[in-house]
Amino acid sequence: IILTLKESEVKRMALRDKMISYRKEHLMTQKEMASRCGVTAATISRIESGKGKASIFTEAKIEQAMNKPITKE
């Protein structure tokens, strides 16, 4: 049996994995990640759990937030 994933599914899984790795690397909670991205913690939770899809605008916010330098307060 050969299973194929749509390109959008592959991108969604890659974003999810990247988010989880980023949060773990920087010791961030989902709430802290959400604040950094300008979205709700529930949005981060849904994306990371695979129960929800990010809109193109949310994806852009997340990607942008992960590319900003981390500043310690």
Side-chain angles (χ1 to χ4, degrees):
I1 297 175
I2 298 174
L3 298 175
T4 59
L5 295 173
K6 293 181 186 176
E7 186 177 332
S8 62
E9 290 296 312
V10 172
K11 280 181 66 177
R12 184 167 61 110
M13 288 170 35
L15 178 63
R16 180 182 72 208
D17 293 345
K18 189 174 175 183
M19 287 171 59
I20 292 168
S21 294
Y22 181 88
R23 279 195 322 101
K24 287 181 179 181
E25 180 181 336
H26 297 288
L27 304 175
M28 295 177 127
T29 64
Q30 287 182 338
K31 186 175 180 179
E32 291 167 330
M33 180 72 165
S35 177
R36 183 170 176 79
C37 296
V39 299
T40 65
T43 297
I44 298 297
S45 177
R46 282 193 303 272
I47 294 167
E48 287 188 358
S49 68
K51 293 180 181 176
K53 294 181 183 179
S55 70
I56 193 164
F57 300 108
T58 301
E59 284 182 16
K61 285 181 173 183
I62 293 167
E63 289 287 349
Q64 184 178 18
M66 289 191 294
N67 288 319
K68 286 193 305 191
I70 300 284
T71 56
K72 299 290 181 189
E73 296 178 18

